[in-house]
Amino acid sequence: MKNNLRMYSLLLFVTFFLCYLEWADKSAFLFQAQYDLLFKNDKASLVHPLILGPAIGQLLLLFSLWKPDRRTVLCGMLLLGLLALMVLITGIFSGNWKIILSVMPFGMVSGVFVLKYKRLKTQKF
């Protein structure tokens, strides 16, 4: 069962970076935007809740690759899911199908994990 949790952690981590953003005449995937925030901008912008929350979620998912725990994966998924949900809402309101489709892999992996969470909850490691 630990391998399943590691698989979910890795899938959530990777699919989160596939989310796509498009505004005005610019566009970027989340991994590109995160790189720009970490290495090209001032460090004061890193304490914004929309940046700090997903960053903590990413760290939790990376930690759960090393030491799998269903609660750690769930917390990481929820923290990443907040930003993914905002990207999805942006895509829906703007009518941009590329943004909507880019969030779907993360949403599907999250949905499968939540459905299996009850079964994982009853099993001991």
Side-chain angles (χ1 to χ4, degrees), residues 9-57:
S9 296
L10 184 62
L11 284 173
L12 287 167
F13 187 78
V14 170
T15 57
F16 175 72
F17 286 122
L18 296 177
C19 293
Y20 178 74
L21 301 168
E22 203 172 70
W23 64 100
D25 60 342
K26 298 179 183 180
S27 63
F29 286 96
L30 279 181
F31 68 88
Q32 294 169 322
Q34 187 174 17
Y35 177 81
D36 289 344
L37 281 171
L38 289 175
F39 298 111
K40 294 184 179 177
N41 286 342
D42 60 3
K43 301 302 178 202
S45 63
L46 294 177
V47 295
H48 192 277
L50 284 178
I51 296 169
L52 192 59
I56 293 170

Side-chain angles (χ1 to χ4, degrees), residues 67-85:
K67 187 176 180 189
D69 180 40
R70 64 184 182 278
R71 284 173 260 140
T72 307
V73 177
L74 183 65
C75 289
M77 180 196 71
L78 291 174
L79 287 171
L80 293 179
L82 292 174
L83 183 59
L85 182 64

